[in-house]
Amino acid sequence: MRQTRDRIFDAAMRLFSERGLDATTVAEIAEAADIGKGTFFTSFPTKEAVFAEVSTRLVDDMERALAHAARPASTLDRTIPALFEPALDWHAANPALSRAMLGAFLRDPAFAAADRAAQQRLLNALMAELVRVREAGRIP
């Protein structure tokens, strides 16, 4: 199941990058991933959900980076940049997809809704880090 999901994701990112979000259909993604359209829907409920997977994967990377940077003596000037570095790197490496993502989230509530869980996880990670540093006496 994970391999199929990854194939769908990779095919969708390629097509989104080449054709744009709006011009890419679920049928085209399924064809590019060499799966049936029904298989697409067993992995992702919508094309918006595939695009939101970018955020999910970025937040995974961001949480790992934060966990690596957050040592008992770590301060916010070390941990906050570490938290955001994976996202900054992805956006710098994928400018067309980055612009498409921002445009989709601003224009279409379906994209924003599909991304809400990743947004909440990121907010939770940031808040937990602020609490950790405050409890350690490193910020008032």
Side-chain angles (χ1 to χ4, degrees):
M1 180 73 162
R2 182 66 189 181
Q3 290 175 340
T4 301
R5 191 173 170 86
D6 287 344
R7 281 189 15 231
I8 293 168
F9 178 79
D10 293 342
M13 292 303 105
R14 229 177 12 261
L15 291 171
F16 292 158
S17 194
E18 293 169 5
R19 300 179 185 172
L21 230 49
D22 295 330
T24 303
T25 67
V26 167
E28 291 168 332
I29 295 168
E31 183 179 327
D34 196 29
I35 58 163
K37 197 171 171 183
T39 301
F40 174 94
F41 289 111
T42 61
S43 295
F44 294 97
T46 63
K47 138 176 119 166
E48 293 84 4
V50 178
F51 202 63
E53 181 75 8
V54 171
S55 292
T56 299
R57 291 176 183 208
L58 281 175
V59 172
D60 290 346
D61 292 345
M62 294 167 81
E63 289 172 334
R64 279 190 293 277
L66 178 61
H68 181 69
R71 304 286 182 241
S74 295
T75 58
L76 290 178
D77 64 336
R78 174 176 157 78
T79 58
I80 298 303
L83 172 65
F84 287 100
E85 186 173 359
L88 294 171
D89 290 348
W90 184 88
H91 287 284
N94 299 282
L97 285 173
S98 181
R99 282 189 300 278
M101 179 184 278
L102 178 60
F105 293 148
L106 293 174
R107 164 182 88 256
D108 189 340
F111 284 102
D115 193 51
R116 199 157 286 124
Q119 293 171 17
Q120 188 60 54
R121 282 181 47 219
L122 178 57
L123 180 60
N124 291 345
L126 181 57
M127 293 304 297
E129 180 57 14
L130 291 171
V131 167
R132 183 192 72 79
V133 173
R134 183 172 183 207
E135 288 177 353
R138 290 187 179 70
I139 58 174

